[in-house]
Amino acid sequence: MIDFFHQFNPVTQALIATLFTWALTAAGAALVFFTKNINQKLFDSTLGFAAGVMIAASFWSLLSPGIEMAEQLGHTPWLTAVIGFMSGGIFMRLTDKFLPHLHPGLSIDKSEGIKTSWQRSTLLVLAITLHNIPEGLAVGVAFGAVAANLPSATMGGAIALAIGIGIQNFPEGTAVSMPLRREGMSKKKSFFMGQASGMVEPIAGVLGALFVINMQQILPYALCFAAGAMIFVVVEELIPESQRNYKNIDTVTMATMIGFSVMMILDVSLG
């Protein structure tokens, strides 16, 4: 797999990787063709698993390499990490504040961001799209970092990040398509809306790669920025959504730990 990616330039690598993550979003949305409902405990567990993957990816694939890269480039490692990490969180907070969106399972009056007359389906798609912006960006930045030929950025690590993001995208596609199907939307339209939430990832991935391959000095900041944005999504959305049903908290917590372990294994073994 690593040899396959080596034959392409960093931007194409990022595009291929994020098309893969988008495909898994679509695969999750495709469950709507087989059922209107999914076991709530199972669904909460998949969200918890996704949270664990993103937490692990934020450290193993983004923060740790970013800190090492900052040291290699002569930056102050801890300062670079803090500036990048907090900038990512602030960026997502501002996006969350102004972009109209609605989290799955909530009524239309609980929508966030600027108030609009947009339909519930559109707001649901935007909520998951908000998740996917930092994910696509992280994959693009990871592949762009490999082009800098610094020891802390490896092709295996970038591929591991793409695989991990792809795995946790599966339940995100389901999180959009299933509620829409239960509300009476057709299977085809529910699927289309579900997979559409992942369309932003290839765009963000390509932009991230383009941005960093020409500006090596900002690479450590970009990696830490992506980590901060992902942690914001996990803490502000994924974990609260996965633990909304108190009866499932223990199971969801274990699923989160399993997700963390899976991503850690991927990154350590491939990176």
Side-chain angles (χ1 to χ4, degrees), residues 190-201:
S190 297
F191 166 75
F192 176 79
M193 299 297 282
Q195 65 81 33
S197 65
M199 293 175 68
V200 70
E201 290 200 6

Side-chain angles (χ1 to χ4, degrees), residues 41-120:
K41 189 173 187 178
L42 174 61
F43 183 66
D44 290 345
S45 296
T46 60
L47 290 178
F49 179 89
V53 167
M54 290 181 70
I55 293 170
S58 296
F59 176 74
W60 295 100
S61 298
L62 298 170
L63 265 180
S64 181
I67 291 170
E68 290 180 27
M69 198 174 294
E71 190 169 10
Q72 291 160 5
L73 292 174
H75 300 173
T76 304
W78 67 265
L79 183 61
T80 299
V82 169
I83 291 173
F85 186 81
M86 290 304 300
S87 295
I90 291 168
F91 170 78
M92 289 305 300
R93 174 67 186 100
L94 292 174
T95 305
D96 187 69
K97 181 177 181 179
F98 294 108
L99 179 70
H101 61 284
L102 176 67
H103 299 302
L106 299 181
S107 58
I108 190 69
D109 62 299
K110 299 289 180 61
S111 62
E112 299 179 23
I114 296 173
K115 298 304 178 184
T116 73
S117 58
W118 293 351
Q119 293 183 343
R120 175 181 171 81

Side-chain angles (χ1 to χ4, degrees), residues 205-220:
V206 168
L207 290 176
L210 281 170
F211 188 61
V212 300
I213 59 177
N214 296 312
M215 302 181 70
Q216 183 171 310
Q217 286 297 317
I218 69 157
L219 266 173

Side-chain angles (χ1 to χ4, degrees), residues 7-264:
Q7 63 184 306
F8 303 105
N9 64 57
V11 176
T12 304
Q13 291 167 354
L15 177 61
I16 293 171
T18 48
L19 285 174
F20 164 75
T21 62
W22 178 16
L24 286 186
T25 303
L31 290 182
V32 77
F33 289 112
F34 306 100
T35 180
K36 279 187 177 182
N37 298 292
I38 186 171
N39 180 275
Q40 190 62 45
K41 189 173 187 178
L42 174 61
F43 183 66
D44 290 345
S45 296
T46 60
L47 290 178
F49 179 89
V53 167
M54 290 181 70
I55 293 170
S58 296
F59 176 74
W60 295 100
S61 298
L62 298 170
L63 265 180
S64 181
I67 291 170
E68 290 180 27
M69 198 174 294
E71 190 169 10
Q72 291 160 5
L73 292 174
H75 300 173
T76 304
W78 67 265
L79 183 61
T80 299
V82 169
I83 291 173
F85 186 81
M86 290 304 300
S87 295
I90 291 168
F91 170 78
M92 289 305 300
R93 174 67 186 100
L94 292 174
T95 305
D96 187 69
K97 181 177 181 179
F98 294 108
L99 179 70
H101 61 284
L102 176 67
H103 299 302
L106 299 181
S107 58
I108 190 69
D109 62 299
K110 299 289 180 61
S111 62
E112 299 179 23
I114 296 173
K115 298 304 178 184
T116 73
S117 58
W118 293 351
Q119 293 183 343
R120 175 181 171 81
S121 58
T122 302
L123 294 174
L124 281 169
V125 171
L126 287 175
I128 304 301
T129 299
L130 189 61
H131 292 189
N132 290 336
I133 292 173
E135 294 167 13
L137 180 66
V139 174
V141 168
F143 279 99
V146 175
N149 293 319
L150 293 172
S152 54
T154 66
M155 182 63 72
I159 293 172
L161 177 61
I163 293 172
I165 294 296
I167 291 172
Q168 65 88 41
N169 272 359
F170 189 91
E172 291 187 352
T174 307
V176 175
S177 63
M178 284 294 182
L180 297 179
R181 178 60 180 148
R182 285 197 297 268
E183 292 172 10
M185 187 177 287
S186 70
K187 292 179 181 179
K188 288 184 178 180
K189 190 170 183 181
S190 297
F191 166 75
F192 176 79
M193 299 297 282
Q195 65 81 33
S197 65
M199 293 175 68
V200 70
E201 290 200 6
I203 299 171
V206 168
L207 290 176
L210 281 170
F211 188 61
V212 300
I213 59 177
N214 296 312
M215 302 181 70
Q216 183 171 310
Q217 286 297 317
I218 69 157
L219 266 173
Y221 295 98
L223 287 166
C224 297
F225 177 95
M230 287 177 63
I231 290 295
F232 180 93
V233 170
V234 170
V235 177
E236 202 268 344
E237 299 181 21
L238 281 182
I239 289 179
E241 287 175 20
S242 69
Q243 299 200 353
R244 191 173 292 140
N245 188 330
Y246 290 103
K247 294 179 181 179
N248 299 335
I249 284 182
D250 289 341
T251 302
V252 170
T253 300
M254 289 307 301
T256 303
M257 296 184 70
I258 292 170
F260 185 99
S261 299
V262 168
M263 186 64 225
M264 180 171 57

